[in-house]
Every structure is written in structure tokens, then in C-alpha cells.
Amino acid sequence: MNRMFLSMALGLGLGAAYSLPAYSQAKPETLVKQRQAAMTLQGKYFGPMNAMAQGKIPYDAGVVTRNAGYLDALSRMPWDGFAPSTKGEKSAALPAVFTDAGKFKEAQDRFQAEVTKLASVAKGGDEASVKAQISTVNKQCAACHEDFREKR
Amino acid sequence: MNRMFLSMALGLGLGAAYSLPAYSQAKPETLVKQRQAAMTLQGKYFGPMNAMAQGKIPYDAGVVTRNAGYLDALSRMPWDGFAPSTKGEKSAALPAVFTDAGKFKEAQDRFQAEVTKLASVAKGGDEASVKAQISTVNKQCAACHEDFREKR
């Protein structure tokens, strides 16, 4: 069970029947580094889109389509890094990540769903709809940070 | 020209005719953090594939397809972070990144092309071909690190 949990937690999809793969033994500090890397890149690619939606920089459909595609991949990457083994690591994660894992998972799922929708809407190209969906994604970022990340 | 360079360097695709967007003014330390984040995640998703190709962990077609797709996106993310403004930042980047930018760009392009091929081959599902392509990608990682990254 522990083996399986580790595999699942790392998203490797390797069943318990296999021998424990080296990659399911990722150190807690590595998991934290990887999940923070995913968040850093979400910021890199979401930031400009959010600035466009807020009218701070000119709208660029090509950039939005590209960034939304990247974000669609990135939106799936941080979550296996919040393994229970990382509980004691220094990070901005609030205890609720571990004590309210169900609610955290729901927030992840909502975020991913809205990002996937953004990637799809971005391909359509209607600027107003795209901007509205960027704002929706932004609200999901904020809601999850509110509940699960230390205020800075 | 400088404006345009900055925009291009950040891959925002915003032309010089626009006012300088906030995001083209990313601090050198932010650029380094973002490019390192992309490398960290390349390691997260390439590591298990490489271990499979080397027979260290069992081959899992589902994991390979997913990871290759992620890597295809991640393989495009680090490069705009190697802007000339980052020359003085502490990192493992060798001076050749800046003094031999043409060769560095060629190495990036080769890497990206091989990763894109891997993502495509992975969908086909022939294990031997996929493993061979994983090894090819691994060689591109190593070749670029050899020339452009400090030995550790």
C-alpha cells in the first residue's frame, strides 16, 4: 500500500506489482523544489495573460494561445509534489494542504478544468471570451492561494 | 531595437510598436529562476523515461506518453531566460551561453526537435523505438550540458 501510494503520489502510474522505482523515492526537498518550479512557470506564462485581461499590456492572441497551451501542461504538474512526506519542509504551503486534502484536490481540479477551458477558448480567438476566461482562471489561482498558501 | 530585443528575448512576441510591456522588464534573477524551474521540471519528467530506457525501472507506455507531452512543452521554456541581462547572475551557465549564442541556439533547436519527435514516437507506442528516441534525447541533454553548463 505504501509502495502504491508513493507511486501514485508521484504520478508515475506504476502499479504496486512493480518493484519500487527509484523515482518514487524522491526526497521531500526535491518534491518541494519541483512543485515550486511548476508554480514559478505558471506565473511566467499566466502573468502576461492576466496583464492583457486587465488591459495593462496589449492583447496578443498568439501569445495567449501559446501561453494557455503551456499553462494547460503546467497546471497538472505541481500537485504530486504535495506528498505527505513534504509536510515538514520549509515552504509557503499551509497545513490545510495536508489536513484538508479533499478540499485541496477540489481546488486543483477546478483550476485545471478552467485552464483547459482557457486553452480551448484561446484557440477560438474571441478576445472578450478569452479575457473573461483568463479572469476566471485568475480567480481560481487566488482562491486556492487564499486557502492553501501563506500570505506574503 | 532594445525594446524589440527584450520582447523577443522573453518570447512574448510583442512587437516594438507596442509600449514596453511590464513583462519584458523581468529582473535577471527572475529570468534565472524561471529557466532553472524549466530545467528542474525537464528533469522531473525526463528522469523516469530515461530510467525506463536504461532498464532501471519497468517500461510504462502511459507514463512515457504523458511525460513526453509535458517535456515537449517544457523543452521550449528555458531559453528566453538566458538573456544577456543574466550574464552576471549566479548560475551553472558557462560563459559560452553568451559568447557562443549561435551554437547554444543550435543545441536548443536540436534538443527541441528530438523531444518533439519523442512525443510523436511515444504516441505510436513501439517500445523499442520509443526507448531509442529517449536515448537520443538524453544525448542532446548531455551534449548541451557538456558545452554550456558547469560540471558538478
Side-chain angles (χ1 to χ4, degrees):
Chain A
M1 185 57 197
N2 190 39
R3 280 188 175 193
M4 195 157 143
F5 168 75
L6 280 168
S7 293
M8 283 166 48
L10 282 159
L12 288 174
L14 298 165
Y18 293 144
S19 65
L20 184 64
Y23 292 94
S24 67
Q25 298 171 318
K27 290 178 191 164
E29 60 265 34
T30 301
L31 293 173
V32 170
K33 188 182 171 187
Q34 290 170 337
R35 76 191 191 204
Q36 290 177 339
M39 294 296 189
T40 291
L41 291 171
Q42 288 182 15
K44 177 182 178 186
Y45 294 105
F46 186 67
M49 291 196 286
N50 204 34
M52 287 177 203
Q54 295 174 354
K56 291 179 184 167
I57 59 172
Y59 186 76
D60 184 317
V63 172
V64 169
T65 306
R66 188 203 60 178
N67 285 19
Y70 287 172
L71 195 64
D72 197 17
L74 292 166
S75 71
R76 298 159 202 280
M77 297 183 189
W79 318 120
D80 58 2
F82 290 92
S85 66
T86 63
K87 217 167 171 174
E89 296 298 308
K90 193 177 167 320
S91 88
L94 290 175
V97 162
F98 307 103
T99 59
D100 206 347
K103 194 180 166 192
F104 186 45
K105 177 74 170 65
E106 282 168 25
Q108 295 163 22
D109 291 346
R110 269 195 304 275
F111 170 67
Q112 268 181 236
E114 297 297 355
V115 170
T116 299
K117 194 174 162 194
L118 173 59
S120 165
V121 172
K123 281 179 196 159
D126 174 62
E127 184 177 328
S129 309
V130 175
K131 284 183 170 178
Q133 188 57 24
I134 291 170
S135 298
T136 300
V137 169
N138 192 37
K139 285 190 192 98
Q140 299 301 329
C141 297
C144 194
H145 289 168
E146 176 67 27
D147 291 339
F148 298 104
R149 189 178 71 165
E150 268 175 24
K151 308 294 166 289
R152 307 190 193 203
Chain B
M1 185 61 196
N2 190 37
R3 281 187 174 192
M4 194 160 147
F5 170 75
L6 279 167
S7 294
M8 284 166 49
L10 282 158
L12 288 175
L14 298 165
Y18 292 142
S19 64
L20 185 64
Y23 291 93
S24 67
Q25 298 172 317
K27 291 177 191 165
E29 61 264 35
T30 302
L31 293 174
V32 170
K33 188 182 171 187
Q34 290 171 339
R35 77 192 192 202
Q36 290 177 338
M39 294 295 189
T40 292
L41 290 171
Q42 287 182 16
K44 178 182 178 186
Y45 294 105
F46 186 66
M49 290 196 287
N50 204 34
M52 288 177 202
Q54 295 175 352
K56 291 180 184 168
I57 59 172
Y59 186 75
D60 183 317
V63 172
V64 169
T65 306
R66 188 203 60 177
N67 285 19
Y70 287 172
L71 195 64
D72 197 17
L74 292 166
S75 71
R76 298 159 202 280
M77 297 185 190
W79 319 119
D80 58 3
F82 291 92
S85 66
T86 64
K87 217 168 171 175
E89 297 296 310
K90 194 178 167 318
S91 86
L94 289 174
V97 162
F98 306 103
T99 59
D100 206 348
K103 195 180 167 193
F104 186 45
K105 177 72 170 61
E106 283 168 24
Q108 296 163 21
D109 291 346
R110 269 196 304 274
F111 170 67
Q112 267 182 237
E114 296 298 354
V115 170
T116 298
K117 193 174 164 194
L118 173 59
S120 164
V121 172
K123 282 178 192 157
D126 175 63
E127 185 176 327
S129 308
V130 175
K131 284 182 170 177
Q133 188 56 26
I134 291 171
S135 298
T136 299
V137 169
N138 191 38
K139 282 189 196 101
Q140 298 301 329
C141 297
C144 194
H145 289 168
E146 176 66 27
D147 291 339
F148 298 103
R149 191 177 69 165
E150 268 175 24
K151 309 292 166 292
R152 308 187 192 206

